[in-house]
Amino acid sequence: MGSGLLVAGTTSDAGKSVVVTGICRSLSRRGLRVAPFKAQNMSNNSMVTSEGAEIGRAQWIQAVAARAIPEAAMNPVLLKPGSDRRSHVVVLGRPAGALEAGEFAGGRQHLADAAFGTFDDLRRRFDVVVCEGAGSAAEINLRDHDYVNMGLAQHGSMPTVIVGDIDRGGVFASMYGTLALLDAADQQLIRGFVINKFRGDVSLLKPGLDSLERLTGRPVLGVLPWQRDLWLDSEDSLALTSRPVHDGDGALSIAVVMLPRVSNFTDVDALCLEPDVRVRFVEDPRALAGADVVIVPGTRATLADLAWLRSRGLDTAIVEHARRGGTILGICGGFQMLGTQIDDPHGVEGLPGASAAGLGLLPVRTAFGREKVLRLPRGTALGVAASGYEIHHGRIIVDGGTDFLGGTREGSVFGTMWHGALEGDALRWAWLREVAAGMGCEIRAGEVSFPAAREARIEALADLVDEHLDMDALLAMLSDGRTLPVLRGTLR
């Protein structure tokens, strides 16, 4: 039976995903067989594994960092928000109905059983399972039914480290408060702290670090410095706001429409590496005025987000952009919006029988089917090999145009059902050259490899972990059964 470690946080977006990714590669460097695990994700950013299962994108990249084959067991429960009160549920990589807001606390025992079972399976097959918590470790309103944070830690008798984002301010109070809010049994599993996103001279933190260790009886295992260019495949679209804006040299300006229920927004990550490309995420039609290319990304709520486009006047701005000869790329749900008609006869996204006219830029009709399509397609486009992944309920009927990556193209308007195609260097370079040629300009394309850049980021992240975290102490925690102090004022 292998060991387990839980990396929990004081808040969402404290950096848990990034820390787990770095620890996975660091442990792999030491020759250990490592698997990532997140009992439950709430994210519309997902990936298809080689077994044809859907998992959170963050766990997919963590598996890459661990040098393990991504599999459904690494993210047994995936909640994909379709609205503020309803999430579509994926269990072990397959659709499993929906979860309403009122069911969130008490209606999840079957999900907990699936999560605990797959965690136990991974621990039998790997030396170390590095688990990522969700939100805060002190979600005390959900503790009775928790299987993601301390509930998981108790199930696996796992040492837990708490990650806090110092860039937000108040990190010492949030770390102390997170520990103090837990009951005595949960406190016993908290073995240390990690401070993330620090800018400046770490010696200035020493009085606070010493006080936190004295007050809690637990060490600060390290302080990770803030790094601008180390963002990785995220699970939360909110992380887009903390990513560096990519200016490039400005030869080609790309506006990505930030849909309310955007999914698989990592489709544009590779473009953010190109030296002549300027990428912006936009919500206002005026922001499209200076763009050469408009990208309408995927969405978990195609009809609702199409209505949102219209409510803001973005539909008119996109159509006008096409009429002026500008390039448009629609991906999955964004592609479906560019068509002539969208129908939801079975209520996959909401009410049965819902329908809407599309923007009419491509000869495509869409009808949602009950069964989800999950596959890893390969083919050719623009004279080069291409690949991607498909995650969708929408079935398209193409009435014209030229075939393009499981979709169609008419002039400078492209539509594809394939996510991730732009991560392929040859396809991305060919597409950028095609766009630039249509504008009558040249662009540097062929200088940057996205797969190589991703691997370099993982290695750089592991270097930071090895340099700034006490990995020997962290490994020692896996077998340390000492009794630790319990803070006063606990709930139980």
Side-chain angles (χ1 to χ4, degrees):
M1 180 72 73
S3 300
L5 170 73
L6 176 64
V7 178
T10 57
T11 62
S12 294
D13 202 28
K16 299 184 293 292
S17 296
V18 172
V19 172
V20 168
T21 304
I23 290 174
C24 282
R25 177 54 60 92
S26 176
L27 294 178
S28 177
R29 286 174 171 180
R30 294 171 179 244
L32 295 170
R33 293 175 299 124
V34 185
F37 180 81
K38 186 161 186 173
Q40 175 189 289
N41 250 339
M42 180 172 280
S43 174
N44 280 326
N45 200 24
S46 57
M47 184 65 177
V48 178
T49 69
S50 59
E51 61 191 329
E54 184 180 8
I55 66 172
R57 182 81 173 197
Q59 278 58 67
W60 183 85
I61 196 66
Q62 288 165 358
V64 172
R67 300 188 176 103
I69 298 174
E71 58 177 286
M74 294 170 179
N75 177 207
V77 180
L78 175 62
L79 304 182
K80 306 189 74 174
S83 70
D84 290 339
R85 301 186 62 82
R86 187 172 188 260
S87 291
H88 299 269
V89 182
V90 177
V91 177
L92 294 177
R94 300 284 182 241
L99 192 67
E100 304 293 338
E103 303 175 285
F104 197 78
R108 302 185 298 161
Q109 186 56 49
H110 65 296
L111 304 182
D113 293 341
F116 292 158
T118 52
F119 169 78
D120 293 343
D121 174 56
L122 286 175
R123 199 161 62 164
R124 283 189 289 267
R125 294 188 282 123
F126 290 87
D127 297 325
V128 183
V129 181
V130 184
C131 305
E132 178 185 340
S136 168
E139 305 283 4
I140 54 177
N141 56 314
L142 302 175
R143 179 61 185 91
D144 287 344
H145 305 283
D146 170 52
Y147 62 91
V148 185
N149 291 302
M150 300 314 298
L152 175 64
Q154 289 292 348
H155 171 80
S157 300
M158 280 190 289
T160 300
V161 296
I162 301 295
V163 177
D165 177 3
I166 197 170
D167 198 45
R168 299 183 178 201
V171 71
F172 295 115
S174 62
M175 285 182 159
Y176 183 92
T178 296
L179 178 64
L181 280 173
L182 301 178
D183 66 25
D186 286 350
Q187 283 196 35
Q188 285 300 312
L189 295 177
I190 306 298
R191 294 282 153 171
F193 304 100
V194 173
I195 291 179
N196 193 29
K197 304 180 188 178
F198 178 69
R199 314 180 194 217
D201 184 348
V202 73
S203 66
L204 296 175
L205 285 181
K206 192 173 187 315
L209 302 179
D210 292 344
S211 294
L212 184 65
E213 292 187 0
R214 184 178 68 256
L215 289 168
T216 66
R218 291 152 176 87
V220 176
L221 296 166
V223 178
L224 289 172
W226 184 85
Q227 293 287 323
R228 178 180 176 84
D229 296 322
L230 277 184
W231 51 264
L232 292 163
D233 307 53
S234 302
E235 65 187 23
D236 191 342
S237 60
L238 292 175
L240 288 175
T241 60
S242 63
R243 289 188 174 193
V245 172
H246 181 70
D247 284 321
D249 290 337
L252 195 66
S253 174
I254 298 179
V256 182
V257 180
M258 190 60 180
L259 300 169
R261 299 293 174 187
V262 62
S263 67
N264 301 87
F265 50 84
T266 47
D267 283 338
V268 302
D269 277 359
L271 294 173
C272 293
L273 297 178
E274 292 293 339
D276 279 350
V277 173
R278 181 174 181 264
V279 178
R280 290 289 187 276
F281 297 93
V282 303
E283 297 179 326
D284 190 301
R286 291 171 295 183
L288 302 188
D292 302 307
V293 179
V294 174
I295 295 180
V296 188
T299 168
R300 190 59 189 82
T302 308
L303 288 168
D305 280 2
L306 177 58
W308 176 85
L309 277 182
R310 290 190 161 117
S311 73
R312 301 181 71 91
L314 278 161
D315 59 328
T316 302
I318 292 170
V319 171
E320 287 300 316
H321 179 80
R323 287 177 179 166
R324 291 193 301 268
T327 298
I328 297 175
L329 172 62
I331 304 173
C332 197
F335 165 37
Q336 295 163 12
M337 292 182 193
L338 301 182
T340 59
Q341 182 69 26
I342 303 172
D343 297 313
D344 188 5
H346 308 294
V348 171
E349 289 194 346
L351 293 175
S355 66
L359 302 189
L361 295 177
L362 287 173
V364 174
R365 291 170 287 144
T366 301
F368 289 103
R370 289 191 177 95
E371 299 298 318
K372 181 182 288 188
V373 175
L374 297 168
R375 58 188 174 210
L376 299 169
R378 292 182 175 275
T380 59
L382 305 177
V384 300
S387 62
Y389 58 99
E390 292 186 45
I391 304 173
H392 56 87
H393 284 276
R395 270 62 167 181
I396 61 169
I397 299 173
V398 178
D399 297 320
T402 303
D403 181 67
F404 180 72
L405 299 177
T408 192
R409 169 194 181 182
E410 282 204 339
S412 60
V413 181
F414 299 78
T416 175
M417 293 300 291
W418 296 11
H419 294 289
L422 294 175
E423 295 178 12
D425 292 336
L427 186 280
R428 183 178 70 260
W429 298 335
W431 183 72
L432 286 172
R433 291 189 185 108
E434 180 96 355
V435 171
M439 296 170 52
C441 66
E442 295 184 358
I443 188 172
R444 286 177 293 171
E447 299 180 3
V448 178
S449 169
F450 181 73
R454 170 186 278 152
E455 178 63 17
R457 280 184 175 146
I458 292 173
E459 282 290 300
L461 181 56
D463 289 343
L464 283 176
V465 165
D466 285 339
E467 180 180 356
H468 296 282
L469 293 190
D470 189 341
M471 289 299 295
D472 290 334
L474 187 146
L475 282 169
M477 284 169 27
L478 300 180
S479 57
D480 182 1
R482 291 178 302 156
T483 299
L484 296 175
V486 174
L487 302 188
R488 294 181 178 180
T490 56
L491 295 178
R492 302 176 186 173

